[in-house]
Amino acid sequence: MSKQLNFASKVIHAGQENEAATGAVIPPIFATSTFAQKAPGSNSGYEYSRIKNPTREALEKMMAELELGVGALAFASGMAAITSVLELLQPHDHVIVNEDIYGGTWRLFEKLKRYSSGLEFTYVDMGNPDAVISAIKPNTKMFWLETPSNPMMRVTDIKAITSIAKDHNILSVVDNTFATPYIQKPLLCGADIVVHSVTKYLNGHSDVLGGVVVAANESLHEKLAFIQKCTGAVLSPFDSFLVLRGIKTLAVRMEKHCSNAEYIAGFLQKHPKVKQVFYPGLTSHPQHAVAKSQMLAGFGGVVSFAMHGEQEDIVKFMQNCRLFTLAESLGGVESLIEQPLTMTHASLDSSHKEKLGIDHSIVRLSIGIEDPQDLEADLIAAFK
Ligand SMILES: *Cc1c(COP(=O)(O)O)cnc(C)c1O
C-alpha cells in the first residue's frame, strides 16, 4: 500500500502495521534478546534479536521504502553501517572515494581498513568524471560517494558516476546522510547501496547514534544481512523506536531546515565579514545545476562559509553565538556551529585538508528549525 504514497505520507506509514497481539498503533519496543520456539528450529520468524527484532525491523522496512530499495538494515552508528558495507570487499580490493568525505569515514579507510583488511583507497575529485575513470584499476570494486560533501558542500553528479561504475562492473555506494531521501534518492540515480548516519536528519533530535544501509537488489541485501548477523553491530530496540519516531516528522523538518538554510546562506553572502558561502542552493555554487537536477526538494540544512580574520577572531565569533551551540554533528532541530579544521575534520592529514581548502577560516553551520530571523540576529550579534 505505502509504495504508492507520496513521501510525506510514507514517513508516517511505510512498513508500519498495527501490532498483531494488541493493535498498538506504534510499533512497541520489543526489549527481548530471544524468542520462544514451538519446537526446535520452529520459530515465529524471530529467533534472536541480533538476527531480527520486530522494532528494528519496522525501522528497516520504513528505510527500504523511503530510499526505494529492496531492504534495509539498521546499525548501532553510521560508522558501523559503513564498516559493514566494506565487509563486502576482499583483501587487496580497491575503492575510489570522493576526496571530500566525512572525517570519520576517511579515518576508517586510511587509519584502519588499509591495514586491517588490506584495502586500497584512492581519493579523487568526483566532480570530474574523467578523474574517476583514470583512477580505475583492475582491482577496483567500489565507488564511495558523498554528496553534498562535508564540509565544503561540493556536489557529485550521482548518475554520471554510477553509470561509469556500471560500465566497469563496480559497486557504487552513496552516503546520503546530508540530503536524506526527502531530497535525494541515490538508488533511483543508479547507486547500488545507500548508507546513512541516522544520527543526523533521520532521527533529527540529537539523542541517538545509528546507521542504516539500504540495498538496491536482493542479492546485495542478503549479503549485507549476513554481514550484519555475523558482525552484530545492530541498533537497539529502544533506539530503533526513537529513530522511527523521528522519521515521522522528517518531511516537515526537512522543509524547514531547507528554507532556513537558504535564508541564512543569503544573509551570509551579503555580510562583510564573510569571504565565501558554500551552499548548493546558491546560483553562485559551481555545481548548482547538478544539485538542482538531483536534489529534488531543497538543498539541505548545512551551510559552510569562509570568514575573514585570524583563528582567534573565528573562535570568538563562534563563542559569541547564543542560539547556535558550538558542537560537532548536524541534522538536529537545534542549530549548531563548528570549525571543521579543529573539530569534525581534525583527524584528516594536513595535506588532505589543504587540498580541500579546509583552513581555519571555514565555519560549518547546521541550521535547525528555529525562527530564521532569530538565527540571523544571533549571527549578526556574534559577528560584531
Ligand atoms: C556523522 C556522519 C557519519 C558517521 O555517523 P555516526 O552515526 O556518527 O557513526 C558518516 N557519514 C556522514 C556524512 C556523517 O555526517
Side-chain angles (χ1 to χ4, degrees), residues 75-82 101-105 144-150 175-178 195-200 208-212 329-330 344 364:
F75 292 86
S77 70
M79 291 320 301
I82 291 170
I101 50 162
Y102 176 68
T105 306
W144 196 278
L145 290 71
E146 194 180 307
T147 178
S149 74
N150 175 13
D175 183 331
N176 203 28
T177 299
F178 270 46
V195 300
H196 278 283
S197 168
V198 305
T199 312
K200 316 295 167 52
V208 172
L209 276 184
V212 159
S329 199
L330 57 109
T344 48
R364 189 187 79 186

Side-chain angles (χ1 to χ4, degrees), residues 269 276-288:
Q269 261 195 321
Q276 196 182 347
V277 182
F278 307 96
Y279 185 65
L282 295 172
T283 50
S284 59
H285 188 285
Q287 292 128 330
H288 179 63

Side-chain angles (χ1 to χ4, degrees), residues 320-358:
N320 283 345
C321 290
R322 289 285 165 268
L323 212 45
F324 283 87
T325 302
L326 180 60
E328 298 191 4
S329 199
L330 57 109
V333 290
E334 68 290 309
S335 292
L336 303 178
I337 186 166
E338 68 113 3
Q339 185 184 40
L341 181 73
T342 53
M343 297 171 67
T344 48
H345 290 66
S347 65
L348 257 63
D349 283 349
S350 43
S351 62
H352 195 81
K353 280 188 275 214
E354 206 170 300
K355 189 167 168 217
L356 298 175
I358 304 174

Side-chain angles (χ1 to χ4, degrees), residues 272-333:
K273 292 227 169 123
V274 173
K275 263 193 284 193
Q276 196 182 347
V277 182
F278 307 96
Y279 185 65
L282 295 172
T283 50
S284 59
H285 188 285
Q287 292 128 330
H288 179 63
V290 177
K292 254 173 88 170
S293 74
Q294 66 191 19
M295 300 181 79
L296 302 175
F299 299 96
V302 178
V303 179
S304 296
F305 63 97
M307 190 179 152
H308 291 291
E310 302 303 321
Q311 173 67 2
E312 64 209 53
D313 304 315
I314 284 142
V315 170
K316 193 148 222 176
F317 161 73
M318 295 195 294
Q319 287 174 331
N320 283 345
C321 290
R322 289 285 165 268
L323 212 45
F324 283 87
T325 302
L326 180 60
E328 298 191 4
S329 199
L330 57 109
V333 290

Side-chain angles (χ1 to χ4, degrees), residues 82-89 108-109 113 119 142 144:
I82 291 170
T83 302
S84 301
V85 172
L86 290 185
E87 289 291 328
L88 291 167
L89 300 172
L108 171 72
F109 291 179
K113 282 291 170 181
L119 297 176
M142 189 177 275
W144 196 278

